[in-house]
Structure formats: structure tokens, C-alpha cells
Amino acid sequence: QVRLVESGGGLVQAGGSLRLSCAASGRTFSYYAMGWFRQAPGKERNFVAAIIWRGGMTSYADSVKGRFTISRDYAKNTVYLQMNSLKPEDTAVYYCAARRLPSADFGPWGQGTQVTVSS
């Protein structure tokens, strides 16, 4: 069974950086895509970034392009989200999710990690 555990959230000032981690376990992820999503209070959960585990192809939401970078570490079975030049509007709970290719649906999900950016 796939298990995802996020970490690395916290409080940071605008313009600062954070790196989120998603430790994945339960199976081999060669045929998976891994994604980061976020949900701000009172809003729906939105896509942030994704990476194809095998090959490393990435995609990003327009709102984070040029500021966020998704990457993965094979040896540690971990996906990262490096967030630079953070803005108050980046404040949200960030979730990691897995997608078994070629399915279009993400799931399962991690428990989430809070990111708060102060102005």
C-alpha cells in the first residue's frame, strides 16, 4: 500500500524559501507520477507541480513557474518541492499525491504540511 508523508512546511517571510519533502513507501514508483497540490482556507485544492518518476518530466502551475522546482531522489524514494521567492498567496496546506500511470487521477494523498508566508 502506498504511503506518503510530507514534511518541511513552516512559517516564512515573503521572499523567503522552503523545501518540502514527500517520503513515499509501499511499492516501486517507476510507473508513477508524483504531484504537489495546495489548498488555501476556504478554497479548493489546486495543482502546483508534478514529476514523472521515471524520466523526470515536470509540469507546473503558471502561478509557480520560475519560483518552484519539483525533483525526486531515487535512492530515498522522496519527492521535493523547492519553493523560492515565496508570496503571501502561497500560504496553504501542501499535499503530496501519487498517480499510477496511465491513470489521470491522483491518489493516494499525504496528510499535508502547512506553509504560511507572512508579508
Side-chain angles (χ1 to χ4, degrees):
Q1 187 172 358
V2 173
R3 183 169 182 252
L4 306 173
V5 179
E6 302 98 331
S7 61
L11 173 64
V12 64
Q13 288 189 330
S17 298
L18 281 175
R19 189 178 78 158
L20 305 183
S21 299
C22 173
S25 61
R27 63 184 60 215
T28 301
F29 291 92
S30 298
Y31 299 101
Y32 277 77
M34 305 297 291
W36 285 97
F37 294 75
R38 66 186 181 186
Q39 187 168 21
K43 297 188 177 181
E44 62 183 20
R45 186 159 52 189
N46 290 320
F47 170 77
V48 175
I51 187 168
I52 305 296
W53 196 274
R54 189 173 186 177
M57 183 180 298
T58 60
S59 59
Y60 297 91
D62 287 343
S63 59
V64 306
K65 280 181 181 177
R67 300 188 299 122
F68 291 11
T69 302
I70 188 170
S71 62
R72 82 274 191 250
D73 185 322
Y74 273 110
K76 296 182 178 180
N77 250 18
T78 298
V79 177
Y80 302 99
L81 186 67
Q82 177 67 44
M83 306 186 295
N84 300 327
S85 303
L86 282 162
K87 305 175 181 179
E89 52 263 43
D90 294 318
T91 295
V93 177
Y94 283 71
Y95 297 91
C96 176
R99 177 164 66 95
R100 179 70 164 91
L101 300 174
S103 172
D105 298 324
F106 277 92
W109 298 79
Q111 82 288 352
T113 185
Q114 176 70 48
V115 171
T116 303
V117 184
S118 63
S119 58

